[in-house]
Amino acid sequence: MTNGAGEPLDDFVRELVRDDLANDRFGGRLQTRFPPEPNGYLHIGHAKAITLDFELANEFDGICNLRFDDTNPDTEDTTYVDGILEDLEWLGYQPHVAPLYASDYFEQLYEWAEHLISEGMAYVDDQDAETISDQRGGFGQPGIESPFRTRSVDENLDLFRRMRDGEFDEGARVLRAKIDMQHENMQLRDPVMYRIRNEPHHRTGDRWHIYPTYDWAHGQSDAIEGVTHSLCTLEFDSHRPLYDWYLSKLPLPSDTPRQTEFARLELTHTVTSKRRLAALVEDGIVDGWDDPRLPTLRGLRRRGYPAEAIKEFCSYIGVSRANSRHQIELLESFVRQHLNATAQRKMAVLNPLRLVITNWPEGEVNEVEVVNNPENPDDGTRLVPFTGELFIEHDDFRADPPPKYFRLTPGREVRLRGAYFVTCTGFDVDDAGTPTTVYATYDPETRGGNAPDGRKVKSTMHWVSAEHAVSGSAALYERLFSAEVPGTETGDPMDDLDPNSVTTLDNCMFEPSMADLAPGEVVQFERLGYFAHDPRTQLLFHRTVGLRDEWARIQQRG
RNA sequence: UGGGGUGUGGUGUAAUUGGCAACACGGCAGUUUCUGGUUCUGCUAUUCGGGGUUCGAGUCCCUGCACCCCAACCA
C-alpha cells in the first residue's frame, strides 16, 4: 500500500515499530491482532483498524491474527462472529491462523487471577456496583477504600473459587485488583477483574459463572498469543497504565506486548457507533445491516463499494492521534477511481421518454457496436439493438432549453451513442405540458456515430430500444444524514436523518445485455453513475455513486 | 473539578526532526473526449492565540485558549 504520493506508508506507528525492531525489542518480531467484539457488524471504522493491523504485518514480515474479544456473554452471539468472518474475508485479509477467541483463555486468566490474589494484589469485594462506583471518587477527588480490601488471601481465594463455582447471584461479588484508590488515573482505582454472570456464553456455554472484564482479558490475551504491538483506539489511552500493570505482575517474559493508540475513523454524513447503527436497524429506519446507506461493510458491499477502494482509502488517510472526521467525498473519489477503471459500461434509462425516429425503415432492427469500457480496450465491445422506437432519459430533452443545455431540443442534432446522429423534429405533451413522445429523424450516413462530412454535435446521449429493453428498478441514495456532523444542532444525530435518503425508480429501461448481469456486479450506467446489481433481487440496482456531473453544477449555480 | 490526549488551507494528511510549508479531496478556469465521465494544465487557500530563544521556529521554551477521552460489574 502507498499513500497519495505513491510513497510507502509512514506514520507514528510505523516509526515506532521500526524503532522497536531496530532495538531488537521483541527479538525482531512483529505481531498484531484485530480484536472485534462479536456483538455487532463491522463498519468502515473497523476497516481502518483492520487495514492498519494487517498491512503492518505485511510490511514488516510479521503476522496478524483475528481474535474475538468475547468476554461479555450478555451481548455477544455467533451470528456476529459469522458476519465478521464474512466481512473480513470480503476485505481480502487472511489471518495468520484460524480465528482466536479470548474465551479460549478463560482458564489461564483464572489461574493468573488466583496468582494475583495469592500475591495480595487482588481481592473479592462484596459491595454492589453503585457502592463501588461511589467509592471510586471523582475527577480531582480521591476514592475511598472498600471495607473488603484487607481480606486475607485465604478468604479471597475461597470466595473467588466459590464465585467461579456459581455459588453467588449475579452482581453479588466482584474480584478487584488492589492498586491505588487515590490514583489520579481513575482506571487504576482498584478496577474490576471479574463479574458474576449466569448468562450462557456463545462458546463456553454455561461452564463459567464469572467473566473477565476487558482490561483483565485484553493484555493477557495479547501476551498469550505473542502479540508485540497491540493497536487500539484513543479512548484506551488511559487504560494503558492498567494494561502494563497487569502484565508486569504476572509471570511473563520481559518483552510484553505494547499498546499504542490511534484516532478512530469518523466520516461526514454518517455515524459509526454500534449503538446508533443498531438503533437505525431496529427502528426500521434502514432495511437491515446491509442497507446500502449504512457505513457497515455489508452495507457498503451491497452498495457496490469495491473492497480495494475501501482499503486504499484507509491506507491513504493514514494514522495519527488527532481526532478528525474525513469527508465522505474522499472515500467516494477512491470508489470512482477504482470503478472507472474496472466497471463495464451499460446503457440504462432511469426515467424513460419515448423517442420515435420518423424516417426509420418500418420494423428494421440494427445492431450497433458499443465499447464496454473505454478505460480498458481489452474488455472489447458488444452489440446493442437499435430500432425506430427508443427510450431516452427525460432529462435529455427540453422543449425550451436553458442556456448551456447541449442535449436534445427541437431543431437540434445530437448523437445517440454508438448509433446515429438524430435531429429533433417535434414532440407531444400531456395535459400538464410534460413531453410524452419526442420525434426525430436520423442521418443514415452517421452510422456508428460519426458524420462523414466531419460535422460535430454538442452532446452524446444514451438510449435503449423500446422493443428490446428489459425493465427494472434503481435505488438512488442521498446521504443518510443531511448534516456533515450528525447531531451538531440538537445533540441527537437522529434529528439530522434525511427522510428522503432513498428514491426508488421502478420503470427503468435497460439494454438487453443487463438481463445477464451477475448478482452483486457493479457497472457504470453511462452518464449516470455506478450501479450495483442487488445480490438477491434481479434487475434491482443500487446507485453506488454518481458520476461527477458538470451540468448539475451549472444548473445549481443558476 | 484532577489526569491524559490533540490543535497545520474548506477537509484530511505530510514537512529530510531548527532551513523555501507539500500531497490529495473539494472549489474555480481551461484542455481532451462518441459519457457534461475520464485525461491533462493552471489557479485557489494553511502552521490555535500571546510572548521568548535563534541568522532562521509548524518544529525548541514559557503562557494562554479550544476540542476530545477517563468516575460501567461495556469494549
Side-chain angles (χ1 to χ4, degrees):
Chain A
M1 289 269 157
T2 55
N3 65 13
E7 298 155 338
L9 297 174
D10 198 17
D11 48 62
F12 81 98
V13 174
R14 277 164 244 256
E15 192 173 328
L16 179 151
V17 166
R18 246 183 279 122
D19 279 359
D20 286 346
L21 260 30
N23 297 327
D24 209 38
R25 176 154 173 178
F26 298 100
R29 242 168 29 84
L30 172 100
Q31 184 172 338
T32 57
R33 100 272 89 116
F34 172 62
E37 185 188 14
N39 69 345
Y41 291 97
L42 264 26
H43 54 67
I44 183 79
H46 294 109
K48 174 180 178 180
I50 291 169
T51 305
L52 213 211
D53 285 322
F54 280 91
E55 292 297 334
L56 211 53
N58 283 343
E59 284 166 44
F60 291 92
D61 268 327
I63 62 180
C64 178
N65 280 315
L66 169 67
R67 179 179 75 237
F68 288 101
D69 220 339
D70 55 351
T71 57
N72 182 359
D74 290 351
T75 56
E76 296 156 5
D77 195 86
T78 49
T79 311
Y80 299 116
V81 343
D82 294 343
I84 289 168
L85 255 18
E86 253 174 50
D87 290 345
L88 187 66
E89 191 187 339
W90 174 68
L91 268 188
Y93 287 116
Q94 183 90 126
H96 187 250
V97 298
L100 304 170
Y101 297 84
S103 54
D104 284 346
Y105 314 137
F106 282 176
E107 198 62 53
Q108 174 68 78
L109 256 12
Y110 177 84
E111 279 170 36
W112 277 337
E114 285 208 355
H115 171 79
L116 247 43
I117 294 171
S118 304
E119 301 285 314
M121 291 187 287
Y123 62 97
V124 172
D125 196 329
D126 299 355
Q127 304 178 109
D128 61 27
E130 198 187 336
T131 309
I132 290 174
S133 170
D134 289 347
Q135 290 173 352
R136 189 126 41 209
F139 302 139
Q141 296 131 245
I144 59 169
E145 296 184 353
S146 162
F148 299 97
R149 199 174 199 262
T150 51
R151 275 223 255 243
S152 72
V153 167
D154 287 345
E155 192 186 358
N156 278 320
L157 239 25
D158 174 60
L159 253 16
F160 186 50
R161 286 170 185 160
R162 287 162 61 195
M163 280 169 64
R164 175 197 59 191
D165 295 339
E167 277 190 39
F168 309 118
D169 291 339
E170 286 199 1
R173 289 185 161 83
V174 291
L175 183 73
R176 292 227 257 168
K178 191 189 285 188
I179 307 181
D180 181 0
M181 289 306 290
Q182 332 268 302
H183 202 105
E184 62 205 6
N185 181 345
M186 305 290 291
Q187 302 300 329
L188 265 19
R189 319 249 260 226
D190 290 11
V192 170
M193 295 167 63
Y194 277 96
R195 46 344 180 160
I196 299 172
R197 277 295 109 88
N198 289 317
E199 198 75 21
H201 184 275
H202 73 108
R203 297 193 81 238
T204 61
D206 49 15
R207 194 149 76 80
W208 293 89
H209 296 92
I210 54 172
Y211 290 92
T213 54
Y214 164 84
D215 289 297
W216 172 243
H218 204 92
Q220 283 63 261
S221 301
D222 285 341
I224 290 168
E225 294 170 2
V227 167
T228 59
H229 297 264
S230 184
L231 308 176
C232 61
T233 44
L234 243 29
E235 67 268 27
F236 292 101
D237 182 287
S238 59
H239 294 239
R240 185 169 6 115
L242 180 55
Y243 182 101
D244 292 338
W245 190 89
Y246 283 138
L247 256 16
S248 73
K249 302 301 180 200
L250 296 173
L252 290 167
S254 59
D255 267 359
T256 49
R258 191 225 258 248
Q259 174 182 308
T260 303
E261 314 81 24
F262 61 91
R264 61 155 19 99
L265 169 63
E266 306 271 13
L267 281 181
T268 55
H269 298 289
T270 193
V271 295
T272 43
S273 101
K274 272 184 194 173
R275 211 189 96 229
R276 304 224 189 267
L277 291 173
L280 290 168
V281 174
E282 279 156 23
D283 298 348
I285 292 164
V286 296
D287 283 338
W289 287 100
D290 65 347
D291 187 293
R293 290 166 292 179
L294 252 24
T296 52
L297 259 24
R298 50 228 297 124
L300 297 175
R301 182 191 328 158
R302 186 148 169 244
R303 174 92 173 236
Y305 279 37
E308 263 326 296
I310 293 173
K311 292 195 286 187
E312 279 165 22
F313 167 76
C314 288
S315 288
Y316 178 77
I317 60 174
V319 28
S320 78
R321 287 177 67 87
N323 301 92
S324 57
R325 190 174 288 259
H326 288 261
Q327 293 176 328
I328 186 86
E329 288 82 354
L330 182 61
L331 209 207
E332 289 175 340
S333 84
F334 276 90
V335 171
R336 282 200 192 95
Q337 184 187 312
H338 198 87
L339 258 18
N340 178 52
T342 57
Q344 302 297 293
R345 315 283 125 129
K346 296 289 177 188
M347 291 199 284
V349 176
L350 264 27
N351 291 297
L353 172 63
R354 245 160 57 93
L355 173 68
V356 174
I357 314 289
T358 51
N359 59 339
W360 187 259
E362 179 80 32
E364 181 166 324
V365 178
N366 201 325
E367 302 251 299
V368 302
E369 186 177 32
V370 292
V371 172
N372 285 327
N373 181 357
E375 301 297 315
N376 183 14
D378 290 347
D379 283 339
T381 60
R382 67 187 186 285
L383 262 17
V384 184
F386 185 95
T387 60
E389 190 176 333
L390 310 165
F391 289 117
I392 60 169
E393 208 67 61
H394 241 285
D395 279 351
D396 285 342
F397 173 78
R398 288 289 186 88
D400 188 19
K404 293 187 185 168
Y405 186 85
F406 301 152
R407 281 109 99 141
L408 198 61
T409 190
R412 178 133 80 206
E413 183 173 54
V414 300
R415 171 166 41 228
L416 293 180
R417 166 138 249 185
Y420 297 93
F421 283 12
V422 296
T423 304
C424 177
T425 53
F427 61 96
D428 296 337
V429 293
D430 62 15
D431 295 343
T434 309
T436 52
T437 303
V438 178
Y439 299 95
T441 55
Y442 84 110
D443 176 358
E445 297 298 307
T446 58
R447 179 161 210 272
N450 278 309
D453 63 4
R455 72 181 191 277
K456 302 286 183 204
V457 289
K458 293 275 265 186
S459 179
T460 299
M461 295 170 16
H462 61 279
W463 51 272
V464 298
S465 160
E467 181 191 336
H468 302 88
V470 293
S471 68
S473 313
L476 310 182
Y477 299 104
E478 300 298 325
R479 336 231 85 130
L480 225 204
F481 295 87
S482 49
E484 275 213 335
V485 184
T488 17
E489 285 283 309
T490 65
D492 184 1
M494 300 300 172
D495 291 335
D496 287 318
L497 275 169
D498 179 351
N500 304 313
S501 52
V502 58
T503 305
T504 305
L505 304 171
D506 287 319
N507 188 31
C508 305
M509 294 296 170
F510 303 137
E511 65 165 83
S513 73
M514 282 175 57
D516 305 325
L517 247 30
E521 190 169 349
V522 185
V523 296
Q524 184 194 98
F525 291 177
E526 293 225 30
R527 306 204 303 135
L528 297 173
Y530 299 97
F531 286 75
H533 195 195
D534 190 79
R536 298 181 289 273
T537 307
Q538 269 287 100
L539 294 174
L540 164 62
F541 292 87
H542 306 282
R543 182 168 65 189
T544 310
V545 61
L547 260 21
R548 209 170 264 107
D549 187 351
E550 190 174 337
W551 172 236
R553 286 204 295 259
I554 291 169
Q555 282 175 298
Q556 243 169 36
R557 282 202 295 266

